[in-house]
Amino acid sequence: MGARLDVRKTYKLYIGGTFPRSESGRSYEVFAAPARAGATPRFLANAAQGSRKDARDAVVAARAAQPGWAGATAYNRGQVLYRVAEVMEGRRAQFAEEVRVGEGISPSRADSLVSQAIDRWVWYAGWTDKIAQVAGNPNPVAGPFFNLSVPEPCGVVAILAPQESSLLGLVSVIAPAIATGNTAVVVSSKDRPLPAVTLSECLATSDVPGGVVNIITGDAAEIAPWLASHRDVNGLDLTGSAGVEGLAWGELEASAAETLKLIVRPGGAGARAEEPDWAIEPAISRMTTFLETKTVWHPKGR
Amino acid sequence: MSSAPADAAVDATARARDFLGVTRLTNAALTTWLHGLPGVDQVGCEARAAGLGTRSIKNDSKRWAIDLAISMIDLTTLEGADTVGRVRGLAAKALTPDPTDLSTPRPAAVCVYGDMVAAAKEALGDSDVKVAAVATVFPSGRASVPVKLLDTKDAVAAGADEIDMVIDRGAFLSGNYLEVFNQIAKVKAVCGAARLKVIMETGELVTYDNVRRASWLSMLAGGDFIKTSTGKISPAATLPVTLIMLEAVRDWRDVTGEQIGVKPAGGIRTSKDAVKFLVAVNEVAGEDWLDNHYFRFGASSLLNDLLLQRQKLRTGVYSSAVYIADDSPSTAY
C-alpha cells in the first residue's frame, strides 16, 4: 500500500446554490496572517477570483430567488436560518481553524469569535417573525379604515463583507439582510475569504434556497462598482469598503443613487471608512435599512 | 444568385415530379428520394453546433447582432388564455420595444392564434410589423384536411401576412410522406399572398435524419419557411437541429435557386443563445440569410433579454427587468 494521495480542496464561488469556478478562470493566493512583521507568509489556498460577470450571474440568481424567499412565512425563514446555525455549529472546528490562521489570533480567541458568530446568526434568526411588530404599525387615521404599515424586503442586496473580521463580521452583515426576506450578493474579504467559503457550504446544506445568498470571493475594488451601478440591485452595504485599496465608498454611493438603492455606509467618520467593532450587540438598523414600508388602507364597518 | 420569388404560385405536385424525375408523384417515389438523402452524422453535427457556440463576440459585433436579432423576432403569444387585451399589449410592445430608446428596431412580426389576427392587425395599423397566424389546428395538427384548410383561410381572410402551419407528424413518422406533402401543398394553395412557415415539430421527429427529410419535404411542397417547433414540445429549437435545417435551405438554393427561410422557435430565451444562432446562420447558410425575410426567432421572452443587453451596451451598467415595458396584463394586484 503506497502513500495516500492528498485530496486537495478547490475553493469556489457560491452562486445560485451551486459552486462554480469564476467565469474568468482566475484564482488568487490566500496566505495566513504573518506571525510577526517581515515573516514570509504561509500559503493557505488558491481562492477563486470573482469577476464582474460572476457578480452579474449572482444578481440574476438572487433576483430569481427573491420572491420565493420573501414569500416564505417569517416563521419558516427563522427556522431555516436557525438550521444554518446548527450546521455552523457542526463545522465549529473548521471555522475556528480558518479564523485563527486567517486573522492571526490565538485558538481560544478564534473559538470565541466562532461562538459569537453563531450566536449572532441565531439572534438574527429570531428576528424574522418579530421585525414586523417593531418596524410596522397600525396607524390611527381619521376615517373608517384600518391603516397598517408593513415592512417589506427591498429585494436584492449587494454586500461588501468586512475585510478584517472574516466570520463574525461576515455573519453580521449577511444575516440581517436575508432575515427580512431580501436575497444577497456578497463580496467576501479579499485576504481572508476561507470562512466565507465554508459558510457557503453551510448555507448549501441547510435548506436555504439556492440564490438567497451568493458569495463571491475576490477583490471588492474590482467588483463593487458594477454592483453599485447595477439597476437590478436594490440595496448596497458598503461596510467592506473599509480598508480596500482603490475603492472610495462615496463614489459607490453616488453611483448607487442613480438607481435609488438603500445604503448602509461603512463605519468611521467622513470619507475615512473604518470597520465597526463587531463584538458590540447590534442594533436592528442593518435589518431596517433594507426594508421598505407598505401602507395598506382597509375599510372597516362603522 | 438567381433566386426565384418564393411566393410565386407553383403547381407543387408538377414541380415535385420534375424535381424527382418521375412521371407520377407516389409515396414510394418520395420515400426513395427522402431516404436517399445523406444521413446526418449526429456526433459531428452536435460537435459543430457546440463549436459555433463558443465564438467570442466583441462589443461592436454584439451591438449589431442584438439589433439584428430583435428585428428577426416573431413576438409570440400562443396561450389558451390569450385575450384581445393581451394581443394589443404585445402589438404595442412590437411597435415600441423600448420606450426609453426609440432607436430600438422593431420585431419582424407578431405571432398569434388565427382568431386574434384581426385584433393584432388593428393594433399594428399600417406599421411594417407583420402579423403571423398559427393555423392547421396548431399545435397538434390533428384534424381533417378541410378543417385545417378552413383554419388557414380564416386567418388569411382576417389579414394574416404569414401562416405558421404544423405538419402531420403522425403521417410523417409512419412513412406517409405523400400525405404530408399534399397537406402542405394544399395549405400553401389557400395562403394566397401570405408566406407559409412549415412547423416540423422536430422534438417529435426523433432523429436528425428525419429532420433533414422533413426539411426537404417541406421545401418541395412549397413552404416559404421551415420552422423547428411549436414551442409546446420540449426539446424545441436546439442549435444542432437548426444547423441541419440551415444546411437544407442552403443546399436547396444550390439546386433550385430558390431561397427558403428558417425559423427556430421555442426555448431561445437569452441574447447569448440568439447570437449563437446568428453565428450558425452566417457560417452554415451564409450572409444572405442574415435578414428577417429569411431568418426568424419564434420567441416570447427573448425580446426582453435582448432589450436588457441593449440597455447594458448603451448605458454601461447592468440593467433590470423593471426597466423593460411589461407587455402582459398584470395578474397580481
Side-chain angles (χ1 to χ4, degrees):
Chain A
M1 182 124 168
R4 184 171 176 268
L5 288 174
D6 287 345
V7 179
R8 294 255 181 91
K9 177 166 169 177
T10 311
Y11 291 83
K12 297 198 269 190
L13 310 176
Y14 181 53
I15 297 175
T18 60
F19 295 93
R21 291 177 169 82
S22 170
E23 64 76 36
S24 64
R26 300 175 304 176
S27 62
Y28 68 103
E29 293 181 322
V30 176
F31 296 99
R36 54 189 163 71
T40 312
R42 183 163 66 87
F43 172 81
L44 286 181
N46 287 306
Q49 188 174 356
S51 67
R52 69 173 169 92
K53 291 190 178 178
D54 292 316
R56 171 199 66 186
D57 293 347
V59 172
V60 171
R63 173 58 61 197
Q66 209 272 325
W69 181 241
T73 61
Y75 178 70
N76 179 244
R77 272 205 307 277
Q79 286 180 310
V80 169
L81 293 184
Y82 188 80
R83 175 79 183 153
V84 176
E86 290 173 14
V87 176
M88 288 174 74
E89 190 69 39
R91 294 235 194 187
R92 167 180 281 279
Q94 185 185 359
F95 273 124
E97 174 64 11
E98 285 167 350
V99 170
R100 184 185 69 76
V101 296
E103 301 187 13
I105 52 179
S106 69
S108 61
R109 169 87 180 120
D111 196 61
S112 155
L113 283 177
V114 174
S115 296
Q116 289 178 61
I118 297 173
D119 292 351
R120 176 116 341 137
W121 194 283
V122 172
W123 191 78
Y124 278 115
W127 269 107
T128 55
D129 58 357
K130 298 168 190 74
I131 190 75
Q133 294 91 306
V134 177
N137 201 55
N139 309 311
V141 289
F145 298 98
F146 289 120
N147 184 272
L148 303 169
S149 290
V150 187
E152 294 203 329
C154 68
V156 174
V157 179
I159 298 171
L160 308 184
Q163 302 298 325
E164 301 288 323
S165 180
S166 56
L167 182 64
L168 178 57
L170 178 74
V171 162
S172 302
V173 292
I174 294 179
I178 63 171
T180 54
N182 296 298
T183 54
V185 175
V186 184
V187 182
S188 79
S189 164
K190 179 169 187 252
D191 294 336
R192 302 170 176 178
L194 301 191
V197 175
T198 305
L199 180 66
S200 67
E201 290 162 7
C202 294
L203 292 163
T205 49
S206 52
D207 296 340
V208 178
V212 169
V213 180
N214 305 275
I215 297 181
I216 295 169
T217 52
D219 187 359
E222 178 192 348
I223 302 168
W226 290 97
L227 288 169
S229 65
H230 199 307
R231 290 164 143 193
D232 211 21
V233 171
N234 307 104
L236 183 62
D237 184 340
L238 294 168
T239 304
S241 62
V244 178
E245 199 71 26
L247 190 64
W249 65 266
E251 286 172 20
L252 294 180
E253 184 170 332
S255 169
E258 295 283 328
T259 49
L260 304 176
K261 287 182 183 56
L262 301 169
I263 301 279
V264 168
R265 288 181 171 173
R272 232 180 70 79
E274 278 170 24
E275 200 165 309
D277 179 0
W278 299 109
I280 299 169
E281 172 146 339
I284 61 168
S285 60
R286 283 188 179 275
M287 285 185 286
T288 52
T289 302
F290 295 125
L291 291 173
E292 289 168 349
T293 302
K294 178 174 79 177
T295 297
V296 187
W297 295 72
H298 192 285
K300 67 178 177 186
R302 43 182 75 230
Chain B
M1 181 188 85
S2 70
S3 116
D7 305 312
V10 238
D11 182 352
T13 308
R15 194 180 67 160
R17 276 201 311 264
D18 282 355
F19 193 78
L20 268 57
V22 292
T23 49
R24 205 161 66 86
L25 190 66
T26 61
N27 194 47
L30 277 174
T31 306
T32 308
W33 175 62
L34 289 175
H35 288 246
L37 292 170
V40 179
D41 170 2
Q42 183 183 344
V43 175
C45 174
E46 282 166 4
R48 171 109 167 100
L52 290 172
T54 60
R55 296 285 171 87
S56 170
I57 308 293
K58 302 304 173 202
N59 268 352
D60 277 346
S61 313
K62 198 185 280 175
R63 200 167 280 130
W64 180 82
I66 286 174
D67 278 6
L68 181 64
I70 292 174
S71 78
M72 286 175 162
I73 288 180
D74 278 4
L75 198 57
T76 303
T77 182
L78 296 169
E79 300 300 330
D82 280 350
T83 58
V84 170
R86 165 118 183 86
V87 171
R88 280 198 198 120
L90 204 70
K93 175 98 171 216
L95 292 174
T96 315
D98 185 350
T100 67
D101 182 1
L102 298 178
S103 70
T104 311
R106 286 172 174 170
V110 166
C111 183
V112 293
Y113 271 112
D115 61 337
M116 291 292 171
V117 169
K121 265 288 180 205
E122 193 193 335
L124 290 168
D126 53 5
S127 73
D128 50 355
V129 181
K130 298 191 161 50
V131 175
V134 295
T136 69
V137 198
F138 180 94
S140 73
R142 289 259 66 85
S144 66
V145 174
V147 174
K148 291 184 183 184
L149 294 180
L150 199 60
D151 193 13
T152 310
K153 282 179 197 159
D154 222 30
V156 173
D161 303 297
E162 299 169 0
I163 295 291
D164 290 33
M165 73 166 287
V166 287
I167 64 166
D168 185 341
R169 280 90 72 195
F172 182 89
L173 290 171
S174 52
N176 195 353
Y177 300 127
L178 186 61
E179 175 62 25
V180 179
F181 177 94
N182 284 336
Q183 287 191 11
I184 297 173
K186 282 175 188 164
V187 172
K188 172 68 183 171
V190 299
C191 274
R195 295 178 85 205
L196 177 64
K197 307 196 194 97
V198 182
I199 304 172
M200 308 186 298
E201 196 63 301
T202 51
E204 290 183 342
L205 295 186
V206 189
T207 66
Y208 289 153
D209 285 353
N210 275 344
V211 172
R212 177 168 285 173
R213 288 170 192 147
S215 300
W216 283 87
L217 185 62
S218 304
M219 292 188 290
L220 184 71
D224 299 305
F225 254 93
I226 50 177
K227 174 175 168 185
T228 57
S229 1
T230 59
K232 306 287 183 193
I233 297 278
S234 189
T238 65
L239 199 48
V241 156
T242 309
L243 202 76
I244 292 165
M245 291 163 57
L246 287 166
E247 287 172 350
V249 295
R250 175 198 63 195
D251 295 348
W252 179 262
R253 193 178 74 175
D254 284 349
V255 178
T256 66
E258 183 188 24
Q259 188 169 346
I260 305 291
V262 175
K263 176 178 172 185
I268 307 167
R269 294 196 181 84
T270 65
S271 304
K272 212 172 234 180
D273 287 343
V275 171
K276 286 179 190 175
F277 277 85
L278 292 183
V279 169
V281 171
N282 188 53
E283 297 293 306
V284 178
E287 240 176 284
D288 292 345
W289 270 268
L290 285 177
D291 181 319
N292 69 6
H293 197 67
Y294 293 112
F295 194 80
R296 296 279 179 85
F297 290 107
S300 41
S301 56
L302 173 63
L303 177 59
N304 284 353
D305 195 64
L306 286 165
L307 293 177
L308 281 180
Q309 302 313 321
R310 202 174 183 280
Q311 289 183 351
K312 156 75 172 66
L313 288 175
R314 181 164 53 96
T315 61
V317 303
Y318 288 119
S319 197
S320 159
V322 297
Y323 292 84
I324 300 289
D326 186 1
D327 53 88
S328 56
S330 178
T331 48
Y333 295 103

